[in-house]
């Protein structure tokens, strides 16, 4: 078992010239890492969406300083609000003329035993995590089917969509739904030249996860990982970039585990 820190790979221009939308892209989680990674891989531009306006503005400023203001735009977006979803995608087509890649990263977790879970807790997690992915996928497909060359959609699922974990019934149900949505939507999207796949991370550490998960649970989850460590968010972003790139041109409807977790 090795817990050595991973080394970030050098970029290879995998998304050169692409226009990319990433939801829940503020902060230091998977969405923020994905936004940075697509720019490193040569994307013409990235449009960031997030419901946290202050963090979103900070993310936009940081990326604009590093990659140039023309390549970065931020649009506040709550994925539970259809009008805001449309505005986010419209911002990409207005600036770049098309949407080549949509990364549906927005999700909401939390821990609650089922017997104590309220309807509001259940519904809120499903509305953000599953219904939000549905709304964004629907809007993305409507845009991509009208443009030459189609496009790519990558959804963020979770290993809890496959594996049971106490206190995660709402989140697991939502993420399993994201996997099923990915498979079904991919069949319909193929006619438009659009590919849809998903990533399924096990444990990617970031500050928000630390806030909503107890240290004991995090330690227990880490102990299940074959490498003896959690994933870095950019390691998940690397797989998202692969699925968004031409290297995965024959893949659609698939969910790829980003995990070293053993039973």
């Amino acid at each position: 078992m090795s817990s050595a820190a991973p080394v970030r790979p050098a970029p290879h221009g995998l998304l050169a010239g692409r226009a990319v939308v990433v939801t829940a892209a503020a902060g230091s989680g998977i969405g923020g890492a994905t936004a940075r990674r697509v720019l490193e891989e040569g994307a013409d531009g990235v449009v960031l969406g997030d419901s946290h306006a202050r963090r979103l503005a900070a993310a936009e400023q940081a990326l604009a300083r590093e990659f140039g203001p023309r390549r970065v735009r931020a649009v506040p977006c709550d994925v539970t609000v259809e009008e805001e979803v449309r505005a986010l995608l419209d911002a990409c087509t207005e600036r770049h003329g098309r949407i080549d890649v949509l990364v549906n990263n927005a999700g909401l977790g939390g821990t609650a035993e089922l017997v104590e879970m309220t309807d509001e807790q259940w519904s809120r997690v499903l509305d953000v995590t599953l219904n939000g992915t549905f709304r964004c996928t629907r809007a993305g497909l409507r845009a991509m089917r009208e443009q030459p060359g189609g496009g790519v959609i990558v959804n963020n699922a979770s290993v809890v969509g496959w594996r049971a974990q106490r206190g995660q019934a709402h989140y697991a149900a939502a993420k399993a739904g994201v996997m099923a949505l990915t498979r079904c939507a991919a069949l319909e999207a193929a006619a438009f030249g659009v590919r849809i796949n998903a990533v399924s991370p096990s444990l990617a550490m970031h500050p928000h996860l630390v806030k909503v998960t107890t240290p004991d649970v995090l330690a227990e989850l880490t102990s299940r990982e074959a490498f003896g460590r959690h994933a870095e968010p950019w390691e998940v972003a690397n797989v998202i970039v692969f699925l968004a790139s031409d290297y995965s041109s024959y893949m659609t409807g698939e969910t790829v585990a980003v995990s070293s977790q053993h039973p």
Side-chain angles (χ1 to χ4, degrees):
M1 180 182 295
S2 172
S3 58
V7 178
R8 289 175 65 95
H12 292 83
L14 298 184
L15 298 179
R18 309 289 171 88
V20 182
V21 176
V22 184
T23 67
S28 55
I30 293 171
T34 299
R36 173 174 295 278
R37 197 63 181 153
V38 300
L39 289 167
E40 291 173 345
E41 290 292 345
D44 188 56
V46 62
V47 177
L48 317 174
D50 204 287
S51 61
H52 299 276
R54 182 183 58 81
R55 290 201 329 232
L56 180 63
E60 178 184 29
Q61 292 168 9
L63 291 173
R65 282 195 301 269
E66 185 172 351
F67 297 99
R70 190 195 67 81
R71 297 178 67 194
V72 185
R73 183 176 179 185
V75 179
C77 177
D78 180 342
V79 296
T80 69
V81 180
E82 174 66 18
E83 293 76 13
E84 294 189 17
V85 169
R86 288 202 301 265
L88 175 66
L89 272 65
D90 286 348
C92 188
T93 55
E94 288 167 5
R95 174 165 289 196
H96 300 286
R98 58 186 290 116
I99 304 168
D100 295 299
V101 178
L102 167 62
V103 179
N104 287 320
N105 175 66
L108 179 67
T111 301
E113 294 287 327
L114 191 61
V115 293
E116 304 295 338
M117 190 180 295
T118 66
D119 283 7
E120 193 280 331
Q121 285 175 301
W122 173 271
S123 297
R124 178 63 178 163
V125 168
L126 264 72
D127 198 20
V128 174
T129 307
L130 178 56
N131 297 346
T133 301
F134 154 70
R135 292 184 191 96
C136 292
T137 298
R138 178 177 61 188
L141 278 176
R142 287 172 174 170
M144 291 176 178
R145 70 180 177 180
E146 303 297 332
Q147 64 189 25
V152 180
I153 298 174
V154 183
N155 297 326
N156 192 356
S158 169
V159 293
V160 298
W162 290 314
R163 305 168 184 168
Q165 185 176 322
R166 290 181 65 95
Q168 297 294 310
H170 47 358
Y171 188 65
K175 290 300 191 179
V178 169
M179 294 177 184
L181 172 64
T182 298
R183 292 190 294 270
C184 294
L187 290 179
E188 300 178 21
F192 311 135
V194 176
R195 297 188 298 108
I196 305 178
N197 292 292
V199 295
S200 181
S202 55
L203 183 62
M205 195 67 71
H206 53 87
H208 180 68
L209 180 63
V210 173
K211 290 180 180 178
V212 300
T213 312
T214 68
D216 288 345
V217 170
L218 290 176
E220 194 262 332
L221 292 175
T222 301
S223 72
R224 297 182 189 176
E225 299 292 333
F227 295 130
R229 65 171 179 85
H230 58 77
E232 297 296 335
W234 59 260
E235 292 181 285
V236 181
N238 285 345
V239 182
I240 291 173
V241 165
F242 162 73
L243 291 174
S245 77
D246 293 339
Y247 280 99
S248 61
S249 59
Y250 196 65
M251 293 178 65
T252 198
E254 297 293 337
T255 298
V256 179
V258 188
S259 170
S260 71
Q261 193 175 112
H262 52 86

